[in-house]
Amino acid sequence: LHGYYPQAARIGHKGDFITAPELTPVFGEIIAAWSLLYWQQAKLSNHIHIAELGPGTGSLMRDIVDTIGIIGPAFFGKPPKLSASMVEISEQFYSGARKTFMWS
């Protein structure tokens, strides 16, 4: 891979740039709430799979997963079955996102 992003990018207050999920969990919470409302209105099963392309540090996915875990039972009457995937081409960010979730 070539270019700036896969080699040297730093996200956060002391980094080269910052994204909304790094500032507050509200962005992920809103996405989670909207997703649950859609799932409920569409009368879909309680199995939810979410995917994020280019998760960077993984903070957006963490916020979405945490929020679904907290408010999901209110939509389905029980905790939803949740699975998640993240696709990251930067080894630096892939490692960081894995640490966020302790995925192996």
Side-chain angles (χ1 to χ4, degrees):
L1 299 175
H2 301 286
Y4 169 77
Y5 179 79
Q7 296 179 13
R10 295 181 315 258
I11 299 175
H13 293 283
K14 295 182 180 180
D16 300 320
F17 62 94
I18 195 161
T19 60
E22 301 300 321
L23 295 173
T24 178
V26 172
F27 190 60
E29 292 167 352
I30 291 170
I31 291 172
W34 178 87
S35 299
L36 289 169
L37 183 61
Y38 173 82
W39 243 263
Q40 183 186 49
Q41 290 176 345
K43 297 182 170 73
L44 300 174
S45 73
N46 75 327
H47 180 245
I48 299 170
H49 182 84
I50 54 176
E52 183 178 7
L53 305 178
T57 64
S59 59
L60 176 61
M61 181 69 79
R62 181 195 59 226
D63 297 338
I64 292 170
V65 168
D66 288 351
T67 302
I68 288 174
I70 293 167
I71 67 173
F75 286 84
F76 296 108
K78 59 183 176 181
K81 297 175 185 171
L82 180 63
S83 57
S85 301
M86 295 188 292
V87 178
E88 178 58 70
I89 62 171
S90 164
E91 182 59 39
Q92 169 191 347
F93 290 130
Y94 176 74
S95 296
R98 281 183 56 183
K99 288 177 186 172
T100 298
F101 290 95
M102 295 184 275
W103 288 350
S104 56

